[in-house]
């Protein structure tokens, strides 16, 4: 009689950074990201154009820091240049299953979010962040801010929170409390931090944002690709800002397709660079020493 093999337990990845390094990177990155306000301050808010350009410049600066600084710190800690795949930037081996996981995660999050909204009596309350960013000032401003929120934020925030902080916490805890408990604990802590960072504009949304952070961690854990939580983050931000701005379904869909096209192109560029880098390393390893 044949027996089915037991499922493999999640194991920490070799060469990973640990819990302490993840916290160090988080604090250093968030502290450095405070410099993101410089473009906004330099341009001022004398006109709507200056205000919007300043906001977009700040968003670009902040999310660039979210990606670049963790890479630099990890390279120094590991004394090696980390590959994109170390942060989950890898094409899913089963794209349709990954897409299905994103859909299931989004539906599950919506159900939990609606339940929490009912318990907290959120009602018809909308996120005030789009108005704070100036997205409600004009159609052009709304489009510009919407593209920034759906393109820049999912990449920068997912790279930092799910690509760097979550695996560092998970692998650091794994040897102490076991792999499964480490996944749960790291996802909850990550969700708490994510919710706290996003709840400054309206505290009532913090529980929903914490839940979203946990769902994003679990989606990354299940799929093994950072592109999955980026896609979910993109979708959620599209729904949120389209609702806040009173856009139609078609306008929201156009925003989602535009952002998805840009991020898909960026993912293809990352994949091409990674393949060329691997090919170069293989050729160097096969060449005889001169």
């Amino acid at each position: 009689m044949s027996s089915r093999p037991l499922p493999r337990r999640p194991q920490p990845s070799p060469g990973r950074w640990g819990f302490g390094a993840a916290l160090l990177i988080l604090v250093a990155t968030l502290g450095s990201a405070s410099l993101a306000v410089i473009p906004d301050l330099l341009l001022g808010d004398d006109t709507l154009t200056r205000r919007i350009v300043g906001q977009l410049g700040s968003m670009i600066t902040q999310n660039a820091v979210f990606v670049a600084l963790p890479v630099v710190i990890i390279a120094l800690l590991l004394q090696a240049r980390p590959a994109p795949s170390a942060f989950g930037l890898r094409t899913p081996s089963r794209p349709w299953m990954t897409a299905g996981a994103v859909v299931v995660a989004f539906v599950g999050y919506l159900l939990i979010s609606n339940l929490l909204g009912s318990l907290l009596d959120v009602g018809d309350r909308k996120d005030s962040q789009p108005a704070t960013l100036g997205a409600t000032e004009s159609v052009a401003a709304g489009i510009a801010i919407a593209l920034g929120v759906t393109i820049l934020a999912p990449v920068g925030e997912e790279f930092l929170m799910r690509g760097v902080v979550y695996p560092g916490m998970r692998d650091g805890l794994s040897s102490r409390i076991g792999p499964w408990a480490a996944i749960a604990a790291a996802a909850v802590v990550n969700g708490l931090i994510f919710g706290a960072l996003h709840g400054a504009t309206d505290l009532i949304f913090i529980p929903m944002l914490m839940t979203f952070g946990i769902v994003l961690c679990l989606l990354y854990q299940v799929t093994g690709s950072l592109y999955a939580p980026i896609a979910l983050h993109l979708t959620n931000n599209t729904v949120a800002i389209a609702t806040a701005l009173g856009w139609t379904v078609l306008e929201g869909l156009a925003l989602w397709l535009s952002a998805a096209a840009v991020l898909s192109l960026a993912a293809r560029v990352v994949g091409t660079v990674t393949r060329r880098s691997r090919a170069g390393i293989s050729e160097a390893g096969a060449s005889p020493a001169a």
Side-chain angles (χ1 to χ4, degrees), residues 7 11 26 41 45 80 86 91 99 111 115 122 149 168 186 208 228 236 250 280:
Q11 298 293 332
L26 178 65
L41 294 176
D45 57 358
T91 303
L111 293 175
L115 176 61
V122 173
V149 168
M208 271 107 51
N236 179 75
L250 288 178

Side-chain angles (χ1 to χ4, degrees), residues 3-290:
S3 59
R4 295 182 179 178
L6 295 175
R8 293 181 61 189
R9 300 201 311 170
Q11 298 293 332
S13 304
R16 278 286 192 190
W17 47 98
F19 193 97
L23 287 181
L24 169 65
I25 293 168
L26 178 65
V27 172
T29 302
L30 293 179
S32 300
S34 62
L35 299 176
V37 300
I38 291 178
D40 199 13
L41 294 176
L42 290 177
L43 289 171
D45 57 358
D46 298 340
T47 65
L48 177 60
T49 301
R50 282 178 173 268
R51 182 181 175 190
I52 298 304
V53 173
Q55 291 284 1
L56 288 175
S58 296
M59 291 173 66
I60 292 171
T61 303
Q62 173 181 290
N63 288 284
V65 171
F66 281 1
V67 174
L69 188 58
V71 172
V72 171
I73 295 176
I74 289 172
L76 293 174
L77 290 174
L78 301 181
Q79 296 184 344
R81 184 178 67 179
S85 58
F87 306 103
L89 295 175
R90 59 176 70 89
T91 303
S93 57
R94 298 179 178 179
W96 288 110
M97 290 186 65
T98 299
V102 172
V103 172
V104 170
F106 187 49
V107 172
Y109 166 66
L110 289 179
L111 293 175
I112 297 173
S113 179
N114 287 333
L115 176 61
L116 289 173
S118 299
L119 294 174
L120 296 172
D121 195 22
V122 173
D124 296 330
R125 205 161 169 181
K126 294 182 179 180
D127 187 4
S128 60
Q129 187 178 20
T132 303
L133 294 174
T136 57
E137 299 291 339
S138 69
V139 174
I143 294 173
I145 295 299
L147 288 172
V149 168
T150 53
I151 295 174
L152 298 174
V155 173
E157 293 177 11
E158 290 310 307
F159 189 91
L160 174 63
M161 296 303 299
R162 258 61 65 178
V164 175
V165 176
Y166 167 70
M169 290 182 169
R170 177 199 63 197
D171 293 351
L173 292 171
S174 183
S175 60
R176 299 185 179 184
I177 62 176
W180 294 108
I183 289 173
V188 170
V189 173
N190 193 283
L192 292 173
I193 296 172
F194 184 77
L197 292 175
H198 285 77
T201 54
D202 201 334
L203 297 179
I204 199 170
F205 291 114
I206 287 183
M208 271 107 51
L209 291 166
M210 288 179 176
T211 302
F212 189 48
I214 294 172
V215 170
L216 288 166
C217 289
L218 296 179
L219 179 61
Y220 177 40
Q221 181 66 44
V222 169
T223 62
S225 172
L226 194 65
Y227 295 134
I230 287 176
L232 178 55
H233 202 145
L234 155 66
T235 304
N236 179 75
N237 282 13
T238 300
V239 173
I241 196 163
T243 302
L245 296 177
W247 287 4
T248 65
V249 174
L250 288 178
E251 289 170 334
L253 180 60
L255 172 63
W256 187 90
L257 290 173
S258 300
V262 172
L263 293 180
S264 297
L265 178 60
R268 291 178 68 90
V269 171
V270 171
T272 300
V273 171
T274 302
R275 287 192 295 272
R276 290 180 178 177
S277 177
R278 288 175 178 172
I281 293 174
S282 299
E283 290 177 2
S287 300

